[in-house]
Amino acid sequence: QVQLVESGGGLVQAGGSLRLSCAASGRTFSSYTMGWFRQAPGKEREFVACISWSGGSTYYADSVKNRFTISRDNAKNTVYLQMNSLKPEDTAVYYCAGSPSTGVAVYSWRYNYWGQGTQVTVSS
């Protein structure tokens, strides 16, 4: 079992930065691919980024590539999402998720565990 708790969301102006954290409990965290998804009001949940268990592989949605960086610290059971050059269209609830996949995982159905989400609001 893996429990996930996100933090770090908030209100920021366009062009600003935020760093989201996802703290995981459970002994299997270090063997899981971890991902970030987001859901804006009235829209479906969408993939943002993921990182393999070792941190050796990452993958990003085109909309956030070169602006967001996903990383993990397995010693701290934590995954991060550094978000730079934020845009109003990045406004959403951001969810951390864990997948038993061995590599990158883009589809939400590959993720077994989900956090409760943290709100990110980017003002123009």
Side-chain angles (χ1 to χ4, degrees), residues 2 5 17 23 37 53-54 58 66 78-79 83 95 103 109 112 114:
V2 177
V5 179
S17 298
F37 289 76
W53 69 270
S54 67
T58 58
N66 298 321
T78 303
V79 62
M83 306 186 295
Y95 298 90
W109 55 264
N112 294 355
W114 293 84

Side-chain angles (χ1 to χ4, degrees), residues 4-106:
L4 305 172
V5 179
E6 303 97 333
S7 62
L11 173 64
V12 64
Q13 289 188 333
S17 298
L18 281 175
R19 188 175 83 154
L20 304 183
S21 298
C22 174
S25 62
R27 294 178 296 173
T28 57
F29 168 81
S30 61
S31 66
Y32 272 61
T33 287
M34 298 299 296
W36 287 95
F37 289 76
R38 66 187 182 186
Q39 188 167 18
K43 295 188 177 181
E44 294 186 354
R45 189 172 298 188
E46 65 174 359
F47 170 80
V48 175
C50 67
I51 186 167
S52 62
W53 69 270
S54 67
S57 296
T58 58
Y59 191 78
Y60 298 89
D62 287 344
S63 58
V64 306
K65 203 172 291 182
N66 298 321
R67 297 189 300 123
F68 290 11
T69 302
I70 189 171
S71 61
R72 69 190 296 163
D73 185 339
N74 286 343
K76 295 182 178 180
N77 277 12
T78 303
V79 62
Y80 306 96
L81 185 68
Q82 177 66 43
M83 306 186 295
N84 298 330
S85 302
L86 283 161
K87 304 175 181 179
E89 50 263 45
D90 294 318
T91 295
V93 176
Y94 282 71
Y95 298 90
C96 173
S99 168
S101 303
T102 55
V104 297
V106 174

